[in-house]
Amino acid sequence: RGTARDPVRAAQLYRMVCEGGASTGCEHLAQALKQGRGVIQDEAAAERASARAKCVFQASLASRDLASCPGL
């Protein structure tokens, strides 16, 4: 039912929405990087994605610009 799972495409989409300012995309990307799902496993990149997720979420609550959030 639906389409076949594509972890590589999923990771690409997570990165795209994370860079666009969606904290959930950053969290999903962090998990993919941590587990090596669709991307090469990279703990440091997973930590950066997780830090961005937290910053993006906090920025949304405080109506701050995302420019203060770390990049990937």
Side-chain angles (χ1 to χ4, degrees):
R1 200 171 177 153
T3 60
R5 290 181 183 206
D6 185 347
V8 172
R9 181 67 179 143
Q12 291 170 341
L13 293 172
Y14 295 151
R15 180 177 299 280
M16 184 177 70
V17 297
C18 177
E19 290 171 347
S23 63
T24 54
C26 295
E27 278 300 325
H28 287 294
L29 177 60
Q31 287 301 312
L33 288 162
K34 190 172 189 174
Q35 298 171 1
R37 203 175 55 235
V39 291
I40 295 172
Q41 191 172 11
D42 185 340
E43 278 292 325
E47 288 297 321
R48 288 192 303 273
S50 188
R52 181 166 173 82
K54 182 178 179 181
C55 183
V56 166
F57 180 72
Q58 290 173 342
S60 71
L61 294 177
S63 298
R64 286 192 335 240
D65 188 348
L66 296 179
S68 64
C69 292
L72 297 172

